[in-house]
Amino acid sequence: MKDYLLELNDYQRDAVLYDGGPSLVVAGAGSGKTRVLTYKIAHLLDNGYQPHTILALTFTNKASREMKARISAITDEYVTRYLWMGTFHSIFCSILRREARYIGYSSDFTIYDATDSKNLIKDIIKEMQLDEKVYRPGLIHSRISNAKNGLVTSKAYVQDKGFRDYDYRSKVPLTGEIYQRYSARCYNAGVMDFDDLLLQTNILFRDHAEVLRKYQDQFRYVLVDEYQDTNLAQHLIVRRLCENHHRIFVVGDDAQSIYSFRGANIDNMLRFQDNYPTCRVFKLERNYRSTQNIVDAANSLITKNKEQIQKTVYSEKEKGSKIVLVSSYSDYDEAYMVSSKIIDMMHDGSYSFSDFAILYRTNAQSRVLEETLRNRMIKYKVYGAQSFYQRKEIKDVIAYLRVIINPKDEEAMKRIINYPLRGIGGTTLDRLQAAAVAGNVSLWAVISNPAAYKAPISKGTETKIQLFRRLIEGFVEANRMATAVEIAEKVIKESGIRDVLFNDTSVEGIGRLQNVQELLNAINQFVTMRREQGLEDVSLTDFLMEVALITDQDNDRDENADKVSMMTVHAAKGLEFRNVFIVGMENDLFPSAMSMDSQRAIEEERRLFYVAITRAQENCIITFAQNRFRNGQTNSAMPSFFLEDIEKQYLDVGGEIELPAYGFATEQKTPSSSKSNYRSIGKADRVQKTDAESSSSDKAQSLGGFSVGDKVIHTMFGEGEVSTLEGKNENAKAVITFTNFGAKTLLLKYAKLKKVQ
């Protein structure tokens, strides 16, 4: 027995050692699924499987890198190098490049990201003279994406009565025509979008049996991580590859299936045994991450779902604290409570900022939290913000590199044709593009010969276009001999980008120039690392493929940054933190209002809540507000009915109000009772009071129905006490000292105040 097998518990070891056919590993939260998948591959290598015969599919580059590193530590880095391990999209992209001729593509096809796709869809909507407020590019892109993930081509889409009727009812009846035009434009441009990498691989394997047999013979063992997140296209590709030998090993947790909006289908995991009747099921039920109380609370929640594979997750760690449930009067009050709790927990020195995470259902919730954290000098980082490769200056350079590889790449071409400025304006571009659409050719074809396609442009404009054409052709020629770094440096210099950025001496301009230099560093590092590993794939095409296939989760948090992490629950999947705040647990927010019409959607929202709770290692604090500012106004809110799903013995209920819906015996305490008079603004409070005092000499004990000393509630600031009343009629004011926000001066005419009886 190898030493690494001794690191596994009995259930993990059984899964690793079994080689009798299909395997389904149901891995509860924090149960070590990555270790099992990693050691399974190491075990296969130890037992005669050659690296190139093992296909391991993940959802993030980060996951595949971590597994490769672990396998290298167990076996040999040289062996690991030849594993076919990576994301679904990167592996299938590699296959499509090798077999592109079978489906009518060049092996140098480029890849549109979501922004490119939406821009093209926006252009098509404009060309069709449709109302962009009705045919929203984001909506149409989503429909096209869902169709592709369901293996529905544009031709099949327009022929399907169900799609036509649905689009008609949704008041976007021309969606099918947009999809057709979009597909044709992508094909003419020699590009694929992310969803094409799955759709076209299915078409390749469906229509070319000899290609399918080639990969069936090569991949003797197929392993899949996070199987609960696979969509139809991914499921069918994997099934085709394994249909002869059935050596398939999938790992996942149906309780963490939360990506149906991306096309993920939980049925792929729930029905796995139906597809593979000889399948053996392994259950990993020991949670190594969280305390007993957190695990038990999460279990009591998820048992309310009907669609699931039964398992009982347990923890052998200490019992730990109960999950704290806290009510706040408003979203501002909620943010103050969270910040106070972080400060309190850090006072004894046990925690640093990086030990805390604040999770929310929607990105919009972060604004109030950010304001409060900034005011209280708490360092934080919002994850899911713009990534390095989405910055304008980086996308500009990348667009040049894409055009060098594939001059037909329409979106990249449109981005660079007049950047830096060379006198080819929007009107000219529209005319060139119209000529390309009319001739059913690429934009590059028209740029290369405007007269042949009767593009209505002047002689002067044609001269500018030909200068641009020669610039690009020079880059294409240079790329035949230059390294990826050399060609990138040449582009930045000769295109004029470097001069534009160098001449911008603002802080932002300097930052953009630094970012471009960092891009060169990234290309250089890519080439150097590949060469050190003995890999030959160091071309510009290879670098661009890697950039295009970076996933959301690969823009990972900086493990060394001492900052509070803020992110949506979706973004938190796969991560863990010592202390987790789950904010905004209110009906119509969590669960989302959009899920209320479907029991299946409600169950996914409950799984999302389960994911949030199980991110916590030591402490989990759940908050909700009685009032929340949404859609331009303050609305009353009700606690999420999911809170009733957690058994009472696992909860410590706090807050300032009773929770009659749950029947809990609540304690009457404020979110930060030891600091009830704390003023977060300090000096500003004194300024406000001074201004108020000087504004009028008419001090009063009673005014506008309020008296000095009255206890009041404000829709945003929560509870307070009237300190001063002054002014008359339209100018009547009250200075109110709020429990969590200090003194505020409010015009009674507009103040949303209510007396506490």
Side-chain angles (χ1 to χ4, degrees):
M1 181 180 292
K2 301 293 184 182
D3 289 343
Y4 64 82
L5 294 178
L6 297 176
E7 299 177 19
L8 303 171
N9 65 36
D10 291 343
Y11 302 100
Q12 294 171 330
R13 191 180 302 112
D14 287 346
V16 168
L17 294 177
Y18 180 70
D19 196 17
S23 300
L24 171 63
V25 180
V26 183
S31 63
K33 71 172 181 62
T34 303
R35 172 171 290 192
V36 169
L37 193 56
T38 300
Y39 287 9
K40 178 71 177 183
I41 296 170
H43 181 67
L44 292 174
L45 292 170
D46 273 353
N47 284 270
Y49 285 88
Q50 294 300 308
H52 71 279
T53 68
I54 297 173
L55 173 63
L57 298 166
T58 68
F59 277 86
T60 68
N61 293 306
K62 176 175 177 285
S64 62
R65 284 196 301 267
E66 287 179 354
M67 285 195 285
K68 278 187 178 180
R70 291 192 193 186
I71 295 167
S72 295
I74 297 169
T75 57
D76 180 87
E77 185 177 350
Y78 180 80
V79 172
T80 308
R81 186 182 306 159
Y82 295 100
L83 289 169
W84 276 66
M85 177 184 287
T87 65
F88 282 91
H89 290 91
S90 65
I91 293 293
F92 298 157
C93 183
S94 295
I95 291 174
L96 288 171
R97 287 203 187 281
R98 285 169 167 78
E99 318 299 342
R101 65 187 184 281
Y102 287 97
I103 53 174
Y105 278 84
S106 162
S107 61
D108 283 334
F109 65 82
T110 46
I111 301 170
Y112 277 176
D113 63 15
T115 301
D116 294 321
S117 296
K118 289 175 186 175
N119 285 341
L120 176 54
I121 289 168
K122 187 175 182 178
D123 285 344
I124 293 170
I125 291 169
K126 181 180 178 182
E127 290 164 9
M128 294 174 65
Q129 298 182 331
L130 301 175
D131 186 348
E132 196 175 310
K133 293 179 181 178
V134 177
Y135 287 87
R136 291 178 287 117
L139 170 68
I140 303 302
H141 176 254
S142 177
R143 295 203 175 195
I144 292 173
S145 177
N146 288 337
K148 289 186 178 183
N149 286 324
L151 302 182
V152 180
T153 63
S154 59
K155 181 179 179 181
Y157 191 100
V158 297
Q159 293 175 345
D160 187 285
K161 185 177 184 299
F163 285 118
R164 292 199 305 271
D165 290 347
Y166 181 72
D167 290 340
Y168 182 80
R169 291 195 302 272
S170 303
K171 297 182 173 56
V172 284
L174 295 177
T175 299
E177 185 177 341
I178 296 172
Y179 184 10
Q180 281 190 309
R181 293 192 183 200
Y182 174 79
S183 296
R185 293 276 281 275
C186 285
Y187 183 78
N188 287 339
V191 301
M192 295 189 193
D193 62 21
F194 257 48
D195 301 309
D196 280 324
L197 298 177
L198 303 180
L199 175 63
Q200 294 298 334
T201 302
N202 269 288
I203 290 172
L204 175 69
F205 287 164
R206 181 197 67 192
D207 296 347
H208 302 280
E210 68 278 23
V211 178
L212 174 59
R213 280 195 299 272
K214 171 183 171 181
Y215 290 99
Q216 286 174 333
D217 293 342
Q218 177 179 337
F219 300 133
R220 295 178 57 207
Y221 222 108
V222 178
L223 306 97
V224 185
D225 189 19
E226 304 284 11
Y227 196 71
Q228 77 281 349
D229 292 334
T230 54
N231 58 31
L232 175 64
Q234 292 160 331
H235 167 72
L236 287 182
I237 293 171
V238 170
R239 190 172 178 181
R240 280 193 172 109
L241 290 171
C242 299
E243 63 187 359
N244 293 333
H245 56 64
H246 284 191
R247 285 188 289 273
I248 179 172
F249 183 91
V250 304
V251 182
D253 182 6
D254 56 294
Q256 297 186 66
S257 179
I258 59 174
Y259 293 116
S260 66
F261 66 94
R262 293 181 182 171
N265 186 352
I266 191 175
D267 289 338
N268 292 342
M269 186 161 184
L270 297 179
R271 312 286 178 257
F272 187 82
Q273 295 175 77
D274 296 336
N275 292 318
Y276 300 94
T278 61
C279 162
R280 182 168 169 185
V281 179
F282 300 89
K283 295 183 180 181
L284 308 183
E285 297 174 308
R286 180 178 176 182
N287 180 300
Y288 289 89
R289 174 189 301 151
S290 308
T291 60
Q292 292 181 34
N293 202 83
I294 290 172
V295 170
D296 291 341
N299 283 345
S300 69
L301 167 75
I302 204 63
T303 55
K304 308 306 188 295
N305 272 8
K306 293 180 180 179
E307 287 193 314
Q308 62 176 298
I309 299 172
Q310 293 298 325
K311 59 183 177 297
T312 304
V313 180
Y314 66 94
S315 171
E316 292 185 355
K317 298 183 76 171
E318 69 277 7
K319 190 168 185 63
S321 303
K322 291 184 177 182
I323 289 179
V324 177
L325 181 62
V326 181
S327 165
S328 301
Y329 186 77
S330 68
D331 45 355
Y332 275 80
D333 198 28
E334 177 185 59
Y336 184 90
M337 182 281 300
V338 170
S339 63
S340 295
K341 187 67 174 175
I342 291 172
I343 292 170
D344 288 347
M345 292 176 72
M346 288 182 64
H347 272 169
D348 64 4
S350 299
Y351 299 116
S352 58
F353 286 131
S354 60
D355 291 323
F356 296 89
I358 304 172
L359 309 183
Y360 33 79
R361 180 63 182 84
T362 66
N363 278 308
Q365 291 170 254
S366 73
R367 183 187 62 81
V368 175
L369 291 158
E370 287 187 70
E371 286 181 10
T372 305
L373 294 179
R374 280 197 302 270
N375 287 339
R376 305 197 69 181
M377 306 299 287
I378 295 174
K379 293 183 288 185
Y380 69 92
K381 171 71 185 291
V382 179
Y383 293 88
Q386 189 179 48
S387 71
F388 177 79
Y389 288 104
Q390 290 299 315
R391 293 169 182 163
K392 179 189 180 301
E393 62 274 16
I394 301 303
K395 293 201 76 169
D396 290 336
V397 178
I398 293 290
Y400 270 98
L401 302 182
R402 280 168 48 180
V403 166
I404 291 169
I405 297 302
N406 174 20
K408 295 191 296 182
D409 187 330
E410 182 176 322
E411 288 305 309
M413 184 65 72
K414 288 190 297 184
R415 189 178 188 97
I416 67 171
I417 193 169
N418 200 37
Y419 179 79
L421 295 175
R422 50 177 61 92
I424 305 174
T427 300
T428 298
L429 180 57
D430 288 344
R431 290 172 178 173
L432 294 172
Q433 194 167 344
V437 172
N440 195 29
V441 295
S442 68
L443 183 59
W444 176 248
V446 179
I447 290 171
S448 299
N449 193 350
Y453 296 97
K454 300 179 180 177
I457 57 176
S458 67
K459 283 289 185 183
T461 300
E462 184 173 357
T463 299
K464 296 172 184 175
I465 290 171
Q466 294 313 306
L467 286 172
F468 172 71
R469 175 183 61 80
R470 286 196 288 273
L471 176 71
I472 297 302
E473 288 176 341
F475 290 152
V476 172
E477 183 61 30
N479 187 49
R480 303 184 198 280
M481 302 295 293
T483 66
V485 178
E486 290 168 345
I487 193 62
E489 289 175 336
K490 185 178 180 69
V491 164
I492 292 166
K493 178 182 178 182
E494 296 183 12
S495 68
I497 289 176
R498 188 180 68 176
D499 290 340
V500 170
L501 297 178
F502 188 80
N503 290 330
D504 183 353
T505 57
S506 67
V507 173
E508 294 80 8
I510 293 170
R512 284 190 282 270
L513 187 60
Q514 291 171 339
N515 287 338
V516 169
Q517 182 58 50
E518 184 58 31
L519 174 63
L520 292 175
N521 294 341
I523 299 173
N524 189 47
Q525 186 179 48
F526 169 82
V527 173
T528 301
M529 291 295 292
R530 288 290 185 99
R531 285 175 173 166
E532 285 180 359
Q533 294 170 357
L535 301 176
E536 297 179 357
D537 302 331
V538 294
S539 70
L540 187 57
T541 300
D542 298 312
F543 174 75
L544 291 177
M545 184 181 82
E546 180 158 295
V547 170
L549 297 174
I550 291 173
T551 67
D552 294 342
Q553 293 185 36
D554 293 315
N555 302 316
D556 203 8
R557 63 195 186 102
D558 182 354
E559 300 290 347
N560 298 317
D562 186 23
K563 297 180 180 179
V564 174
S565 297
M566 295 176 59
M567 65 192 78
T568 65
V569 182
H570 281 102
K573 186 172 177 292
L575 304 178
E576 57 186 42
F577 306 88
R578 293 176 71 183
N579 308 294
V580 169
F581 291 87
I582 307 170
V583 300
M585 282 306 304
E586 298 140 30
N587 288 338
D588 292 340
L589 185 56
F590 203 167
S592 165
M594 293 185 292
S595 69
M596 293 303 182
D597 295 334
S598 164
Q599 184 60 38
R600 192 175 177 94
I602 287 291
E603 293 208 353
E604 176 157 333
E605 290 284 306
R606 188 178 284 114
R607 292 194 295 269
L608 190 60
F609 188 23
Y610 174 86
V611 167
I613 293 173
T614 55
R615 298 311 92 198
Q617 296 170 302
E618 299 173 16
N619 295 290
C620 181
I621 300 98
I622 300 173
T623 73
F624 62 89
Q626 299 172 62
N627 301 279
R628 185 169 297 276
F629 192 81
R630 298 177 69 187
N631 303 319
Q633 60 184 6
T634 299
N635 300 296
S636 60
M638 288 294 293
S640 170
F641 59 78
F642 283 161
L643 297 174
E644 291 186 283
D645 293 337
I646 302 175
E647 294 181 15
K648 299 174 188 176
Q649 65 263 38
Y650 306 126
L651 291 172
D652 174 11
V653 181
E656 300 177 283
I657 63 169
E658 295 283 343
L659 299 174
Y662 310 111
F664 298 147
T666 62
E667 298 178 38
Q668 298 299 314
K669 58 185 180 184
T670 63
S672 184
S673 55
S674 63
K675 300 183 178 182
S676 59
N677 293 319
Y678 181 87
R679 293 185 180 180
S680 61
I681 301 178
K683 182 178 179 181
D685 291 340
R686 293 193 293 275
V687 171
Q688 286 181 321
K689 282 194 171 184
T690 302
D691 291 344
E693 288 165 358
S694 63
S695 65
S696 172
S697 58
D698 295 326
K699 299 290 172 58
Q701 289 299 308
S702 296
L703 195 64
F706 295 96
S707 300
V708 172
D710 279 351
K711 303 291 185 184
V712 295
I713 288 181
H714 184 267
T715 56
M716 181 180 294
F717 303 120
E719 284 194 357
E721 181 177 322
V722 178
S723 302
T724 307
L725 291 165
E726 55 198 40
K728 296 178 181 178
N729 302 324
E730 297 286 304
N731 296 318
K733 300 176 183 177
V735 176
I736 302 170
T737 303
F738 291 100
T739 302
N740 289 336
F741 292 90
K744 303 285 185 184
T745 302
L746 305 175
L747 270 173
L748 292 179
K749 176 182 176 182
Y750 299 112
K752 297 177 181 178
L753 292 171
K754 183 171 66 175
K755 265 201 282 191
V756 178
Q757 301 298 328

